Amino acid sequence: MNILLLGSGGREHALAWKLAQSPLCKKLFAAPGNPGIAAHAECVSLDAADHAAVVLFCNAEQIGLVVVGPEAPLVDGLADSLRSAGIAVFGPGKAAAQLEGSKSFTKEMCLRAGIPTAGYRRADSLAEAMEALAEFGVPVVVKADGLAAGKGVTVAMTSAEAEEAVRDIFAGRFGADGASAVIEEFMEGEEASYFALTDGRTVVPFGTAQDHKRVGDGDTGPNTGGMGAYSPAPVMTPMLRGEVVSKIFAPTVKAMAEAGMPYSGVLYAGLMLTREGPKLIEYNCRFGDPECQVLMMRLQSDLVEYLLACAENRLAALPPPRFSDDTALTVVMAANGYPGTPEKGGVISGIEQAEADGALVFHAGTALDDNGALVANGGRVLNVTAIAASAREAQAKAYAAVDRIDFSSGFCRRDIGWREVARNS
């Protein structure tokens, strides 16, 4: 069948790499794609916000499955438009995508379904937010209710930080995504990610990972979209994974179905492993970035088979997906200035040499200049990814590949995977 992949980042490059390997994939299109994705797909100019244009393209090119990479088109209801046109799509509809699109929606669902999560208060005004801050004390977590381009979360360690965060939200820093705020109890523990596929009824576990949000070594500096990740996350023991499925994933899928908004797609649970057990930090309605890159490196099953089964409501008929027992680790190479204003246009070379020993370089924010040279075109630019028998070996392999890349206007953390390496030293 012909497949259309929407998106242009490192997550989508990893998905394109895996989708193209499937015997079920006759031709892969990507919109808009990037120079790395172009090695696996025909990149086309298509605006995901123009639902009619996407449907028209799918009909013209006989697309059998649409895979939506980023969250914004899902929250915008693109999957509903495609399903209404009879086109199979991997990803939740607009109502179900509120699990990522609205922090308060998810919190209210957790409360109704008895899903363990941090205590919270929704605030619809600055005055309400200030009251909530006084109630919770510090440290405290302040979130803009909407997507806020992934930048609306502050873990405030002081009252001044917390108050500044809520003032930013209600001053309009995040536009409509900041019309309300969610003030949350600060949870202590180690963070981990767990993924599951669902067709709205069946829940199929799809791997664990841990990422590194802070920009600097030793988890210092501001939060980012992610500076690296590894999978699996051994801290997610079989017992903990079972607990997350039974107490978080399954009740979520049941609650969404009962609310008349069945969830179909990937559920990405950000978890805090507390003394009381795993608690949900938040849901994402798409594969994580850069977690997707390490999951795809480990996945041995046919990705298309599972995504299509989700889209066609027949996930229960498939066996559990197979993953390598090895550790995959990815290092993000970012442009200088990230996560503030990244320096664009820096020339990149050496990718072929970086991949010589089995590493893969997924393009996250790249473009070709007028002379055909590869240049930086975003904050997170490359995901240098390797797989090996242990976290230490995967880390060494990934950084050896990083060191072969010439990207003078870029930087990376040098300690991705440190927790797992330290645990096993």
Side-chain angles (χ1 to χ4, degrees):
M1 74 176 71
N2 294 339
I3 298 172
L4 171 64
L5 170 66
L6 297 176
S8 63
R11 166 184 49 227
E12 287 76 36
H13 188 179
L15 288 171
W17 171 74
K18 202 69 186 176
L19 291 168
Q21 295 172 29
S22 171
L24 297 173
C25 181
K26 180 181 175 184
K27 183 169 184 179
L28 180 62
F29 294 92
N34 65 36
I37 292 172
H40 314 286
E42 180 181 327
C43 293
V44 295
S45 179
L46 197 59
D47 181 3
D50 187 343
H51 296 192
V54 176
V55 169
L56 194 66
F57 178 86
C58 290
N59 287 330
E61 297 295 342
Q62 298 180 306
I63 300 297
L65 175 67
V66 177
V67 179
V68 184
E71 66 277 7
L74 296 169
V75 172
D76 187 44
L78 177 59
D80 297 314
S81 298
L82 290 165
R83 287 190 180 104
S84 295
I87 298 163
V89 55
F90 177 77
K94 182 173 185 174
Q98 289 180 93
L99 280 180
E100 179 168 2
S102 169
K103 311 290 191 305
S104 60
F105 173 88
T106 301
K107 285 293 189 181
E108 288 158 14
M109 183 276 298
C110 288
L111 193 62
R112 290 195 310 272
I115 294 168
T117 187
Y120 79 102
R121 268 190 62 183
R122 174 181 164 144
D124 294 315
S125 68
L126 179 59
E128 284 182 22
M130 289 299 189
E131 282 178 21
L133 291 182
E135 178 185 321
F136 281 104
V138 290
V140 67
V141 181
V142 178
K143 297 179 178 180
D145 189 37
L147 286 176
K151 296 176 182 176
V153 178
T154 301
V155 180
M157 304 309 288
T158 67
S159 296
E161 277 183 283
E163 290 170 10
E164 182 183 5
V166 296
R167 285 195 181 96
D168 277 353
I169 290 171
F170 289 103
R173 179 181 173 189
F174 304 108
D177 288 339
S180 59
V182 173
I183 314 299
E184 286 186 11
E185 163 198 14
F186 176 81
M187 294 189 290
E188 289 191 45
E190 188 168 344
E191 287 189 44
S193 303
Y194 198 13
F195 297 80
L197 301 182
T198 179
D199 57 9
R201 294 172 296 186
T202 302
V203 176
V204 173
F206 202 75
T208 62
Q210 282 189 293
D211 72 342
H212 302 65
K213 288 293 187 194
R214 300 279 183 177
V215 74
D217 286 8
D219 293 328
T220 57
N223 271 325
T224 70
M227 293 301 293
Y230 62 92
S231 174
V235 70
M236 287 293 295
T237 63
M239 185 180 76
L240 284 176
R241 296 198 301 271
E243 200 172 337
V244 173
V245 170
S246 64
K247 294 183 178 179
I248 297 177
F249 283 140
T252 296
V253 170
K254 183 172 183 284
M256 295 297 285
E258 288 174 348
M261 47 184 84
Y263 188 101
S264 175
V266 62
L267 275 173
Y268 162 15
L271 303 166
M272 186 67 76
L273 307 181
T274 74
R275 290 175 184 173
E276 296 84 39
K279 293 185 180 183
L280 180 70
I281 301 172
E282 63 183 10
Y283 269 131
N284 291 319
C285 63
R286 36 69 191 185
F287 286 109
D289 189 346
E291 294 90 345
C292 182
Q293 289 82 315
V294 288
L295 286 173
M296 292 304 116
M297 282 286 274
R298 292 183 54 234
L299 180 64
Q300 295 174 326
S301 297
D302 183 340
L303 180 63
V304 173
E305 192 177 2
Y306 284 85
L307 304 193
L308 190 61
C310 284
E312 296 179 344
N313 302 307
R314 50 178 181 81
L315 197 53
L318 295 185
R322 290 175 293 104
F323 286 87
S324 167
D325 291 331
D326 287 353
T327 296
L329 185 143
T330 190
V331 177
V332 170
M333 298 187 76
N336 288 341
Y338 180 77
T341 303
E343 181 182 328
K344 292 189 177 183
V347 177
I348 303 161
S349 62
I351 288 180
E352 190 175 325
Q353 293 90 327
E355 294 185 327
D357 292 329
L360 288 176
V361 180
F362 295 117
H363 293 225
T366 65
L368 298 177
D369 68 11
D370 293 340
N371 299 315
L374 187 70
V375 297
N377 190 43
R380 295 185 294 170
V381 178
L382 300 172
N383 307 139
V384 184
T385 313
I387 188 167
S390 70
R392 182 182 293 279
E393 291 172 78
Q395 183 191 60
K397 191 172 176 181
Y399 280 110
V402 165
D403 292 338
R404 294 188 183 111
I405 295 173
D406 185 358
F407 178 26
S408 59
S409 63
F411 72 98
C412 68
R413 278 182 59 164
R414 303 298 306 193
D415 64 347
I416 301 302
W418 69 265
R419 284 186 187 86
E420 203 47 42
V421 170
R423 270 193 275 262
N424 290 286
S425 52

